[in-house]
Amino acid sequence: MSSDSLKKRKSKVLRSEGGTPEMKRGRGDGDPQDLRVYSEEVELDGRDPEQDFLQYKESCESLATLMSEIQDLKASGAKEGCAEIEQRRMQSCIHFMNLKKLNRLAHMRLKRGRDQTHEAKQRVDVLHLQLQNLLYEVMHLQKEISKCLEFKSKHEEIDLVSEEEFYQEAPQEICRPQLTKNDPHQLTLARLDWELEQRKRLAEKYKESLTTKEKIQKTIEVKKEHLRSLQPGLNNIMQASLPVQEYLSMPFEQTQKQTEIARHLPPPLYVLFVQANAYGQACGEQNGSVSILDRNLCISISGDVDEAKALSKPPEDSQDDESDSDAEEEQEKTKRRRPTTCGQLDDKRREMLKRHPLSLCLDLNCKDGSFLHLYFYYLMNLNIITVKTKVSTTIDINMAISAGELLKSDTLLSCLYTNDQGRETPNPANRYQFDKVGIVTFADYVEELGHPYMWVQNLGGLQFPSDVSEGVRVGSSLSASHMERTMKLLRGRVQSRLALHKQFASLEHSIIPVSSECQHLFPAKIISRLARWTTITHQEYMDLPYTRHVTGAGLAKETDLYFMAVVERGTARLQAAVVLSPRYPEISPLFSLSLSWKGERSGRTDDNLRAMESEVNVFKNELQGPRPGHQLLTNQLARLCVCLDVYLETEGHDDSVEGPREFPREKMCLRTVRGPNRLKPFKYNHPQGFFSHR
Amino acid sequence: MSQNPLRWAIRHISSSLFYVFPLCIVRVYTSLIRLFPLHLGQFCVFVFSRMGPVELLHMSVFSQSFSPCGRFLAAGNNYGEIAIFSLSAALSPDATNLSQKPVLLFTAHEGPIFSLLSTDCHLLSAGNGEISAWSWTELIKKNAKPLWTRRPNYKSSLEIPEINSMIINPRDNSLVVGGGDNNIHIMDLEHGAFKSVLHGHSDYIHCITVREREGEILSGGEDGAVRIWDSRTGQSVHCIEVYKYEDCARPQYGKWISCVTTDSDWMLCGGGPSLSLWHLRSLSPTSVFPLTGCQRQAAFYQDMILAVGEGPFVSHCLLGGEVKAEIPCTPQSLNTLQLNTNSTEHRVLTVGGSSDHIDVFTNLSYRAFSLSF
C-alpha cells in the first residue's frame, strides 16, 4: 500500500515534471535559441532506442558504482563535503540528468507508438465498413436477380390459340412470320396481340347480343301486358257462362275452387282428396258421363279455410306465433290461478287430439239412391286420419227395432278389412304420446273424433309398420292401390246393411222375404213359421248353453252382432242363435240351434240338429242368391224352417203311443234315415220337389 | 276347321274384332277359355284342402282304420276327406301340436266316409256307393291316388245308396259290403268282381261282422233285425229281431241295430234297443247293459266290453251286465272306436265322433290327447 501510494505520487510527480518543466524548459530553451528550432521530438526521430537502452544501462551501472564508492568513502570516514565525495556527487547528478532525459524520451516514444496504432486501427475500421456495405449490396442484387428469374407473367395464364392456328388465322401485320419464326419472345407478343384483337371483337359481339336481348324482353313485356289485359274479359265471359255450366252440369268453376281450397289440406287428406277425385272421375267416365248428378263419388271440403291457411304457413307468422304463445302463457297463468292440474292435463289432451280445421266429406252413392257420407278428419298431433259415417236413404229407415245397430256409425264400417275394428290408433308412436297426457286408450275418444280404421290411413297414404314407430310415409301410390278396393268394400258394406235393414223389418213381422230368384231353393209349402226375431247381446249369446262350441272355436267375437230367431210349428219351438259378422255377406251368419219338443235337444247333442246347423252354416253357398249375396240371411232362415218341417215330419213314430201323428208326413222323402248316425233328408231337390240326403 | 272348334272360333272372332280394341280380344279369349274348361279341368283331380272354421265346427269323424304297421291312423269324415295321422309322431315324447295334425289330408269321395278298412297293404274306403283302394305305402309317402274304385251293382235308384259297413272275410278273401240298398254285396278281392248279393233285410244295413271259423256273416239293420248268413250258400240262417225281446227293447228310441260284433259264441248288438250280449248257440240274450242313448260301436277287449254312442264318453262294461266306467271324451257323441292291435308299441284306443277331434287313449282309463283335422 505504501509502495502503491508511493508509485502514484511518483507518477504524478513525473507527469508534472514531464509536463510543465518541459514546457518551461522548452520556453526556457527556446527563448535563448529562437532561431535554432529545437524539438525533442525531432531529436527523438534521430535516436535509436537500442542505443538509449544501452546508455540507460551504462548510466545505471556507473551510478551504482559511484554510490558504492561514496559509501566506501563514508565508511572509511571521509567527511561530509570532501572533494572526493563532492566530485562523485557531481558525477552521479549528471547521471541522474541523463536518466531523466532517457525517461522523457521513452514516454514520448510510447505516446507516439500509441498514436500510430490508433491511426492504423481507424483505417482498418473504415475499410471493414466498406466491405460490409459491398457484401450487403451483393446480396441484395442476388435477391433481385432471383426475383426476376421467378417472375410469372400474366400472359402465361391466358389460354392462347395454338401456334399453327395462330399462323393460319392471324393477319400478316400481327403475326409477322419473318420476325416471330425464330424469336419466341416476339412470337408470344404477337400471339398476345392476336388474342387481344380477338377478345375485343367478342366483347363487341356480346354487347350486340345484350341489346337484342333487351329488345326481345321488351317485346315480351308488351305481349304479357296484352295478355293481362285479356283477363278481365275472360273473367266476364266465365261469369256469364256460369248459368250455362250449371245448365249443362259441368262444374268447372266448382272444381277449380275446390282445388284451390285443397291446397290447404294437410298432406294425408290431400292425398285422399286427389285419389278419391281421380277414382270418382274414372268411375264417372266408365259410366259414360261426367255429370255430377249420377257420379258415384262426390268429394267436398269443409271447415275454416283461413285457419288452415294460417296453419300451412308457419314461418311467415312466427311473430304472431310468439304473440300467440304469449297469449297462451297468459291463459296458462289464468289457469294456474285455478289450482287444478286436472284441467291442464285436459287441455293437453285436447291439444293432442286436435283436428285439422279442414275436413273431407266423401259421398258415396250406393246405387239405390242411398248415400254413404264419410267425414274424414286429420288429427294433426297424432298423424292419423279418422272417419265418421252417416247413411242417408230415400226410404224411411226407422221401422225395424232389431236393425238399430246396423247403420250406427259405430258398427257400420267395423271390420271392413279383417280385424280392422278402428278402436285403437294405428300409429304406434301415439302410445307414447298418450302416456304423456294420460290417455289410456283411444277407444274412449272414438265417439267424438271418429274411427281411425287402418284402411282410412291407407287411403290417406299413411302406412304404419306394425312394430316400428318411425317410418311414416305419405304416398299417393299407397292410397291409389287401396282406393278402388276400399270404395267397393264401402259400397258393398252399405248395400248389405241396407238390405239387412229391409230384411229385418219384415223379419220382425215374422215374414221371411224370399225373392223370386231364390224361390227354387225351397218347397212351395213351408209350415214352420218364424215367430220372433230379436237382437241379443254378446253376453246373452255366450250364456246360451248350445252356443258353447261356437265361442269355444273363437267364432263369436265382440264386434259381431247377435240375434235370436225362434221358429215354431205346433208344439215344437226351434231357437236359433245367430252370429252376424260385420263383414256379412262375405262372412256368413252362423246359426246354433236348440229345439224344444219332447224335451230339449240342441245341435251339440242331436246329430240331426247338428246336420240342420251345417245345412245352413256349411252349405250356405247354395243360399247366397244373386250376387253379392244379400239374401243369404233370409234364405238361411227359410231353409231352417224347411229343415224343421223335415225334422218333425220324419221323426220316428212310436207305435206304442196311440193317436195320430202330430206332424203328418207331407214332404216327399226317398228315405227318412240314412247312414250310421241316422240323418234325415234335409236336402231339397228343386224341380222334382223331393228331399234327399247329402 | 271342324276338328278344332276352339281354335276356329278364336280365329274367327278375333279377326272380326281386331279393329275394335285389343282389350276386347283378351276378353274374348278368356271367355272362350271359360266356355271350354276341359283343358284346364283335367289337372285338378285331388285338391288338398284345408277347411274353414265353420266347416271344422260341423265336422264328424265316422270311420277309422290303423295301418298294417300300426304306426298310422286313417280317419274319414263327413266331407269325404281322409286324414292320415302319424301315431309314432304323436306318441313320441317330443310331440308338438303339429304332430297331432294329419300328415296327409285328401278328399277321397264325394259323400261322407262311413267305413274304412285296412288289408295287408291297402286302405279301403267307402264313400257314396263306391269303394276305393289306396296303397298304404303310397299314402305314407303322401301320395294320394286311388288304386281302384269299384261300385256294387245297385238297382237303379234316385239316390245312390251309402255304404255303412265293410268287412273282410278271410276265408275266401272277399269283401262284405252292406249299406243303403238293404242288401249285402260280396266282392272277390282277387278278381275285383262282385260275386253275390244277399237279400233279406227290409231296411238299410248299419253294420256287418264276420264269424270266421263258422263261415258266417252277421248283419244288423235299420229294420231291427240281426241276420246271420251262411257265407258259402248265401242263405240267411237266422234272424234275430232284437226289439221284440222285452229286456232289450226301447221303443222310445226305435228298433234299429247299429252295432254288431262277435267273439267266438258271443254276440254284442245294440242301437235303438239296449246294448246286449247274446249267446249265439241258444240265440238268447244273456246280459243287457243299462247304457243311456244309442250305441254306435262296441268291441270286446280282454274281459271287458267297450262301447261308444250318444254321449261324450266311452263306456266300459263287464260281461255280466254292469257298467264299470264312463270315460269322458271331447266329441259330444261318438261314432267310431278302434283299438290298435297291429303294433305293440302304439297300442292305443282312438275314438271319433261329432267333432274334428279324435281322442287317443294310451291307457283305457283316461284320454291322453286329441288328434285333430
Side-chain angles (χ1 to χ4, degrees):
Chain A
M1 170 114 176
S2 60
S3 66
D4 274 354
S5 63
L6 256 176
K7 273 176 189 169
K8 272 182 185 172
R9 207 175 295 147
K10 247 185 186 171
S11 68
K12 271 177 189 170
V13 171
L14 275 176
R15 212 175 285 162
S16 65
E17 275 174 353
T20 47
E22 206 178 333
M23 276 162 55
K24 271 174 194 168
R25 193 175 300 151
R27 224 174 285 146
D29 284 343
D31 283 336
Q33 303 167 345
D34 258 342
L35 294 172
R36 274 199 296 161
V37 178
Y38 170 76
S39 168
E40 237 175 0
E41 283 169 19
V42 179
E43 194 194 343
L44 195 70
D45 289 337
R47 286 179 77 114
D48 186 16
E50 291 288 321
Q51 209 73 42
D52 282 352
F53 181 61
L54 286 176
Q55 208 174 357
Y56 163 74
K57 259 188 173 173
E58 227 173 86
S59 307
C60 284
E61 264 168 36
S62 50
L63 200 61
T65 49
L66 282 173
M67 283 299 161
S68 61
E69 277 171 11
I70 291 173
Q71 197 181 8
D72 285 345
L73 284 174
K74 286 239 177 128
S76 59
K79 280 210 184 150
E80 194 90 13
C82 85
E84 279 169 345
I85 292 171
E86 236 6 76
Q87 194 193 352
R88 279 187 182 108
R89 201 170 69 179
M90 287 283 286
Q91 276 174 342
S92 56
C93 274
I94 293 163
H95 280 300
F96 268 122
M97 294 302 282
N98 199 20
L99 276 177
K100 262 188 159 176
K101 167 117 182 143
L102 283 172
N103 186 35
R104 215 163 40 243
L105 285 174
H107 270 290
M108 286 171 77
R109 237 182 233 128
L110 181 70
K111 194 180 175 234
R112 185 179 284 178
R114 269 195 189 139
D115 286 348
Q116 274 173 352
T117 28
H118 185 71
E119 230 170 85
K121 201 182 160 203
Q122 259 183 340
R123 242 190 355 254
V124 167
D125 276 353
V126 168
L127 287 173
H128 193 253
L129 202 68
Q130 263 179 353
L131 177 69
Q132 291 264 309
N133 281 344
L134 287 171
L135 279 175
Y136 183 78
E137 212 168 319
V138 165
M139 212 164 68
H140 177 74
L141 286 172
Q142 270 171 346
K143 251 189 214 167
E144 287 291 303
I145 289 167
S146 67
K147 239 186 224 173
C148 287
L149 285 175
E150 279 167 18
F151 175 73
K152 285 228 182 272
S153 170
K154 261 245 168 93
H155 81 271
E156 282 169 39
E157 285 166 21
I158 299 172
D159 198 15
L160 294 170
V161 292
S162 72
E163 259 176 68
E164 296 93 60
E165 230 175 293
F166 165 67
Y167 281 119
Q168 271 177 18
E169 287 173 8
Q172 278 294 318
E173 63 269 21
I174 290 177
C175 74
R176 285 172 300 174
Q178 69 284 358
L179 205 72
T180 55
K181 272 285 186 208
N182 299 319
D183 189 350
H185 177 66
Q186 287 295 331
L187 173 65
T188 317
L189 284 178
R191 282 171 74 187
L192 284 171
D193 277 343
W194 175 232
E195 183 71 28
L196 181 66
E197 190 67 25
Q198 275 180 318
R199 287 193 179 198
K200 273 179 188 165
R201 282 184 207 167
L202 287 173
E204 227 153 85
K205 232 184 223 174
Y206 171 68
K207 262 181 204 164
E208 267 173 41
S209 309
L210 269 185
T211 49
T212 49
K213 185 190 154 197
E214 204 107 311
K215 266 185 207 163
I216 291 166
Q217 248 169 358
K218 257 178 205 166
T219 54
I220 288 171
E221 281 297 314
V222 171
K223 280 177 184 167
K224 264 189 184 167
E225 198 62 36
H226 175 66
L227 285 176
R228 229 170 271 142
S229 69
L230 289 177
Q231 179 79 31
L234 283 175
N235 275 348
N236 283 341
I237 294 170
M238 290 278 278
Q239 210 64 37
S241 73
L242 269 181
V244 182
Q245 276 185 36
E246 255 164 54
Y247 183 71
L248 295 173
S249 50
M250 289 186 292
F252 296 132
E253 189 81 357
Q254 206 185 329
T255 48
Q256 203 180 353
K257 265 184 203 159
Q258 212 171 38
T259 39
E260 182 64 31
I261 301 172
R263 283 194 6 228
H264 303 294
L265 282 173
L269 286 185
Y270 185 75
V271 169
L272 178 57
F273 171 78
V274 170
Q275 293 301 330
N277 237 338
Y279 177 67
Q281 274 169 16
C283 286
E285 275 162 29
Q286 266 181 8
N287 291 350
S289 65
V290 208
S291 130
I292 191 163
L293 287 172
D294 54 27
R295 256 172 71 170
N296 286 319
L297 202 62
C298 213
I299 304 111
S300 56
I301 299 168
S302 52
D304 189 350
V305 183
D306 293 331
E307 209 177 315
K309 270 183 196 165
L311 266 176
S312 61
K313 288 181 218 156
E316 257 181 51
D317 39 22
S318 54
Q319 288 176 333
D320 293 15
D321 270 357
E322 271 171 38
S323 63
D324 278 359
S325 65
D326 284 356
E328 273 176 14
E329 268 172 39
E330 271 173 33
Q331 278 183 351
E332 273 181 30
K333 271 178 200 163
T334 53
K335 274 171 210 156
R336 261 175 225 142
R337 275 172 211 147
R338 283 180 281 144
T340 48
T341 50
C342 178
Q344 264 184 38
L345 211 58
D346 260 358
D347 285 331
K348 271 188 189 167
R349 277 181 209 157
R350 210 168 299 139
E351 178 64 27
M352 181 156 290
L353 300 172
K354 209 172 153 191
R355 300 201 278 227
H356 192 270
L358 289 182
S359 66
L360 217 56
C361 174
L362 222 81
D363 298 337
L364 199 64
N365 187 354
C366 298
K367 280 174 189 160
D368 49 355
S370 52
F371 281 92
L372 171 65
H373 306 283
L374 295 167
Y375 303 98
F376 292 98
Y377 302 99
Y378 178 60
L379 303 186
M380 292 181 288
N381 292 323
L382 300 179
N383 191 23
I384 51 173
I385 308 176
T386 57
V387 67
K388 279 188 180 180
T389 52
K390 215 181 103 188
V391 176
S392 65
T393 51
T394 46
I395 48 154
D396 178 30
I397 55 165
N398 290 325
M399 34 191 197
I401 308 150
S402 58
E405 287 277 311
L406 283 178
L407 294 175
K408 258 194 194 165
S409 174
D410 210 27
T411 61
L412 180 63
L413 299 179
S414 169
C415 298
L416 196 63
Y417 290 92
T418 321
N419 288 334
D420 193 1
Q421 303 182 12
R423 303 198 66 78
E424 269 310 316
T425 163
N427 188 350
N430 292 163
R431 229 178 298 145
Y432 306 105
Q433 290 172 293
F434 286 164
D435 281 348
K436 267 183 212 161
V437 297
I439 295 176
V440 184
T441 163
F442 191 74
D444 302 339
Y445 298 88
V446 155
E447 199 69 35
E448 180 192 347
L449 296 169
H451 293 262
Y453 295 110
M454 221 35 214
W455 57 266
V456 183
Q457 319 304 323
N458 288 337
L459 285 189
L462 294 173
Q463 194 172 39
F464 301 103
S466 48
D467 277 320
V468 193
S469 49
E470 273 90 31
V472 177
R473 82 184 161 87
V474 175
S476 0
S477 56
L478 176 71
S479 171
S481 62
H482 280 79
M483 181 63 71
E484 180 157 20
R485 183 148 176 250
T486 306
M487 286 304 147
K488 276 186 181 156
L489 281 173
L490 284 171
R491 196 168 288 145
R493 170 64 60 89
V494 173
Q495 281 170 354
S496 80
R497 286 295 165 96
L498 288 172
L500 276 179
H501 211 278
K502 244 194 251 171
Q503 291 166 2
F504 282 12
S506 57
L507 286 179
E508 276 176 23
H509 292 95
S510 301
I511 300 158
I512 302 175
V514 175
S515 70
S516 54
E517 297 102 315
C518 302
Q519 213 75 58
H520 68 274
L521 291 169
F522 313 105
K525 192 177 177 190
I526 306 173
I527 302 164
S528 299
R529 285 278 164 258
L530 180 73
R532 204 152 61 88
W533 173 260
T534 49
T535 168
I536 55 173
T537 64
H538 184 214
Q539 194 54 47
E540 281 168 352
Y541 181 86
M542 301 242 282
D543 291 343
L544 292 172
Y546 50 92
T547 58
R548 225 165 283 150
H549 60 297
V550 178
T551 40
L555 293 171
K557 291 186 272 299
E558 221 173 309
T559 50
D560 295 334
L561 302 169
Y562 298 91
F563 298 95
M564 172 68 79
V566 178
V567 180
E568 281 180 350
R569 178 176 174 184
T571 55
R573 189 163 186 274
L574 182 73
Q575 284 189 315
V578 187
V579 186
L580 187 75
S581 164
R583 297 174 70 191
Y584 172 87
E586 195 185 329
I587 290 177
S588 54
L590 197 64
F591 286 71
S592 313
L593 304 180
S594 165
L595 178 68
S596 58
W597 179 56
K598 298 181 182 172
E600 288 285 335
R601 318 164 191 206
S602 81
R604 279 162 65 77
T605 53
D606 190 316
D607 273 332
N608 274 308
L609 281 174
R610 194 157 182 265
M612 278 165 68
E613 282 179 4
S614 61
E615 200 69 28
V616 288
N617 291 339
V618 179
F619 304 104
K620 68 221 172 190
N621 288 348
E622 311 156 4
L623 298 171
Q624 245 147 8
R627 281 181 64 80
H630 288 153
Q631 298 171 22
L632 176 60
L633 180 69
T634 48
N635 285 348
Q636 278 178 317
L637 281 168
R639 178 172 274 184
L640 209 56
C641 295
V642 175
C643 288
L644 183 62
D645 277 353
V646 174
Y647 184 96
L648 295 175
E649 287 176 19
T650 55
E651 189 62 24
H653 187 62
D654 190 353
D655 293 328
S656 60
V657 181
E658 291 297 318
R661 288 163 159 266
E662 187 188 352
F663 305 111
R665 191 171 298 169
E666 290 174 348
K667 304 276 183 290
M668 195 167 41
C669 305
L670 293 176
R671 285 166 61 186
T672 53
V673 283
R674 185 182 198 252
N677 50 352
R678 309 186 69 250
L679 290 185
K680 297 165 188 293
F682 290 119
K683 185 186 172 192
Y684 177 69
N685 295 280
H686 162 55
Q688 299 90 351
F690 65 90
F691 284 84
S692 66
H693 291 87
R694 290 242 172 231
Chain B
M1 194 196 275
S2 55
Q3 281 164 352
N4 194 337
L6 176 65
R7 189 181 294 169
W8 175 82
I10 289 169
R11 193 185 299 154
H12 182 77
I13 295 169
S14 59
S15 64
S16 64
L17 280 174
F18 255 126
Y19 60 91
V20 182
F21 197 58
L23 199 75
C24 298
I25 295 161
V26 177
R27 282 191 188 147
V28 167
Y29 276 123
T30 49
S31 62
L32 276 174
I33 287 165
R34 256 183 240 139
L35 281 173
F36 299 93
L38 199 81
H39 303 278
L40 298 169
Q42 283 169 345
F43 302 112
C44 36
V45 181
F46 288 102
V47 180
F48 295 85
S49 63
R50 274 247 136 261
M51 297 257 124
V54 178
E55 281 81 0
L56 281 176
L57 197 66
H58 292 95
M59 188 180 282
S60 295
V61 178
F62 281 116
S63 51
Q64 303 177 88
S65 178
F66 290 99
S67 70
C69 62
R71 287 188 288 122
F72 293 92
L73 170 69
N77 68 12
N78 56 329
Y79 300 116
E81 289 178 323
I82 295 177
I84 310 288
F85 297 96
S86 167
L87 282 178
S88 45
L91 287 170
S92 73
D94 50 346
T96 58
N97 280 339
L98 203 68
S99 49
Q100 292 167 7
K101 287 276 171 192
V103 291
L104 174 65
L105 180 67
F106 59 98
T107 306
H109 298 282
E110 261 181 40
I113 297 171
F114 290 134
S115 182
L116 279 173
L117 196 61
S118 284
T119 65
D120 297 340
C121 51
H122 293 159
L123 174 72
L124 303 178
S125 65
N128 229 357
E130 60 183 17
I131 301 158
S132 289
W134 317 76
S135 162
W136 264 113
T137 49
E138 290 297 311
L139 289 179
I140 289 164
K141 286 181 207 156
K142 305 191 177 182
N143 200 351
K145 205 167 186 295
L147 294 173
W148 48 260
T149 300
R150 300 265 191 287
R151 194 176 270 273
N153 307 314
Y154 294 122
K155 301 215 173 83
S156 65
S157 168
L158 272 172
E159 202 178 21
I160 304 165
E162 80 281 9
I163 295 170
N164 287 322
S165 185
M166 294 190 296
I167 195 104
I168 295 214
N169 190 356
R171 208 183 173 92
D172 52 356
N173 195 19
S174 62
L175 185 70
V176 185
V177 180
D181 68 337
N182 309 353
N183 298 327
I184 295 170
H185 298 263
I186 296 174
M187 181 181 136
D188 191 338
L189 276 177
E190 265 162 44
H191 304 98
F194 287 90
K195 56 183 186 184
S196 55
V197 182
L198 311 183
H199 303 277
H201 278 287
S202 61
D203 207 335
Y204 76 90
I205 293 164
H206 272 286
C207 49
I208 291 177
T209 189
V210 164
R211 287 181 83 198
E212 192 187 338
R213 216 183 312 155
E214 288 78 11
E216 283 177 352
I217 298 167
L218 279 81
S219 63
E222 181 69 18
D223 57 358
V226 175
R227 282 183 182 269
I228 302 172
W229 311 79
D230 188 326
S231 67
R232 288 156 293 194
T233 58
Q235 294 301 311
S236 175
V237 187
H238 298 290
C239 176
I240 311 168
E241 292 179 303
V242 182
Y243 63 95
K244 288 189 175 160
Y245 291 81
E246 234 173 81
D247 300 343
C248 314
R250 289 191 295 189
Q252 72 271 28
Y253 287 114
K255 56 184 183 178
W256 75 91
I257 296 296
S258 54
C259 61
V260 166
T261 185
T262 56
D263 189 15
S264 63
D265 276 345
W266 299 94
M267 176 187 81
L268 203 55
C269 69
S274 302
L275 186 71
S276 48
L277 184 69
W278 292 67
H279 189 242
L280 281 176
R281 274 196 211 149
S282 59
L283 290 179
S284 60
T286 50
S287 42
V288 178
F289 301 99
L291 293 168
T292 54
C294 310
Q295 301 309 305
R296 298 252 171 83
Q297 198 165 9
F300 289 100
Y301 180 69
Q302 292 164 356
D303 55 348
M304 250 185 350
I305 289 163
L306 305 175
V308 295
E310 286 174 3
F313 42 76
V314 180
S315 308
H316 294 192
C317 306
L318 298 177
L319 294 176
E322 302 94 86
V323 178
K324 192 179 142 204
E326 289 186 334
I327 312 297
C329 347
T330 332
Q332 283 298 313
S333 67
L334 296 167
N335 293 327
T336 165
L337 155 151
Q338 202 82 29
L339 266 160
N340 188 5
T341 50
N342 299 343
S343 158
T344 46
E345 51 184 323
H346 305 309
R347 184 181 288 275
V348 292
L349 169 74
T350 56
V351 295
S354 58
S355 158
D356 57 326
H357 289 281
I358 297 169
D359 285 353
V360 180
F361 297 78
T362 48
N363 182 325
L364 285 186
S365 52
Y366 63 90
R367 183 183 75 93
F369 59 91
S370 295
L371 304 167
S372 68
F373 269 80

